[in-house]
Amino acid sequence: MDKNLIKEVAKIIKNSKHLTGFTGAGISVESGIPPFRGINGLWNTIDPTFIEINYFEHHYADSWKDIKKIFYDFFGQAKPNPAHIAFAELEEMGLMKAIVTQNIDNLHQDAGSKVVYEFHGTASTLLCLDCYERFSAQTFKFDPMPPKCPKCGGKIKPDFVFYGEGIPEKAYRMSMIEATESDVMLIVGTTGEVMPACMIPTIARQNNAKVIEINIEPSALTRGTTTHFLKGKAGEIMPEIMKEIKKL
């Protein structure tokens, strides 16, 4: 770990006027959630067809078998790690203005972050496709399967973006505002390859923001967009950055 780079990044964050976080699957790997793509990616072993919106609509029961197993039985056990906690602490200190996350796991909110724009939606709520009522996944009774809306008996869908669906309008709009207003963007755990989310750091850089990236390997953003690259686990690097910030 480059101590001088840690100190430099800590100073940039401490002196920022508008710090925005931008996170991808990599920040949650240390919480036990595998990434979807790349090395050890979930889609290397599981066909993601079950979360294509057309397939879901025509094979409702089959889709829900995999949805429940992966996103609720497995992912539902995950807890925030030190990187999530550091982001929440930066917000509490008045430094982090907002987080734009590609993740659907709710771990930023579980860690205490309040201003979080979920670019791909969230698994923490369920949406009825007939009456549009929303339900908390935490208290929802998934028995019997596949689930039905307790209010109208309609089909229930996790409130995250399936393949073939658009980005939620508010999350998209607020994310773009953050991209243009940021003077510093702190990126953790993204490959920088998923459109249109990968535009966000690029727009920030085009608006003269400093772009700090923490990743275990260089991403598609590292060479052309990132200004400060820290290689390693966010759960180890973020606490070191926080220590230095508190010294300033």
Side-chain angles (χ1 to χ4, degrees), residues 38-66:
I39 298 169
N40 300 320
L42 200 63
W43 300 154
N44 293 339
T45 56
I46 299 171
D47 183 350
T49 300
F50 73 98
I51 54 168
E52 288 180 357
I53 191 61
N54 287 335
Y55 183 89
F56 177 78
E57 287 170 350
H58 292 97
H59 302 87
Y60 184 70
D62 288 339
S63 283
W64 259 108
K65 286 177 188 174
D66 286 329

Side-chain angles (χ1 to χ4, degrees), residues 6-248:
I6 294 280
K7 288 179 180 179
E8 182 182 353
V9 164
K11 192 175 291 186
I12 290 168
I13 291 172
K14 183 65 184 283
N15 294 332
S16 65
K17 300 285 192 298
H18 193 110
L19 172 68
T20 300
F22 179 74
T23 62
I27 194 172
S28 296
V29 168
E30 293 171 69
S31 293
I33 296 179
F36 293 103
R37 296 168 184 81
I39 298 169
N40 300 320
L42 200 63
W43 300 154
N44 293 339
T45 56
I46 299 171
D47 183 350
T49 300
F50 73 98
I51 54 168
E52 288 180 357
I53 191 61
N54 287 335
Y55 183 89
F56 177 78
E57 287 170 350
H58 292 97
H59 302 87
Y60 184 70
D62 288 339
S63 283
W64 259 108
K65 286 177 188 174
D66 286 329
I67 289 168
K68 184 173 183 297
K69 180 172 67 177
I70 293 168
F71 294 103
Y72 296 101
D73 296 344
F74 177 30
F75 286 13
Q77 306 302 312
K79 303 294 181 190
N81 66 56
H84 295 107
I85 292 164
F87 269 55
E89 194 172 0
L90 284 170
E91 182 186 76
E92 193 176 343
M93 293 166 71
L95 294 172
M96 183 79 76
K97 304 306 180 189
I99 298 168
V100 177
T101 186
Q102 299 171 79
N103 300 337
I104 61 172
D105 52 35
N106 209 57
L107 292 180
H108 281 300
Q109 292 93 327
D110 289 347
S113 293
K114 293 179 174 57
V115 185
V116 183
Y117 301 119
E118 295 169 306
F119 202 77
H120 295 142
T122 179
S124 67
T125 56
L126 303 165
L127 172 69
C128 175
L129 297 178
D130 292 329
C131 72
Y132 302 106
E133 190 78 15
R134 281 183 165 84
F135 305 93
S136 167
Q138 195 171 15
T139 56
F140 192 86
K141 290 179 172 44
F142 286 98
D143 185 35
M145 285 284 286
K148 291 183 179 179
C149 175
K151 187 174 178 182
C152 75
K155 288 182 176 179
I156 291 284
K157 177 189 169 294
D159 208 5
F160 59 79
V161 177
F162 279 28
Y163 292 111
E165 291 190 299
I167 303 301
E169 188 277 330
K170 182 183 177 183
Y172 184 90
R173 176 168 45 85
M174 296 308 298
S175 297
M176 293 303 162
I177 289 171
E178 287 300 317
T180 56
E181 292 188 352
S182 301
D183 66 331
V184 180
M185 183 165 282
L186 178 57
I187 298 174
V188 174
T190 181
T191 61
E193 296 173 346
V194 179
M195 284 288 288
C198 64
M199 295 164 48
I200 294 164
T202 304
I203 293 168
R205 185 74 194 106
Q206 288 169 348
N207 283 272
N208 299 313
K210 290 184 171 69
V211 178
I212 300 162
E213 178 185 355
I214 303 172
N215 259 324
I216 55 171
E217 295 294 341
S219 72
L221 300 167
T222 307
R223 185 183 292 272
T225 301
T226 299
T227 58
H228 298 75
F229 180 70
L230 297 93
K231 184 176 180 179
K233 293 181 177 180
E236 296 173 359
I237 293 173
M238 281 304 303
E240 292 301 314
I241 292 173
M242 295 305 296
K243 283 181 194 174
E244 293 300 325
I245 288 173
K246 289 168 185 176
K247 291 178 186 177
L248 297 171

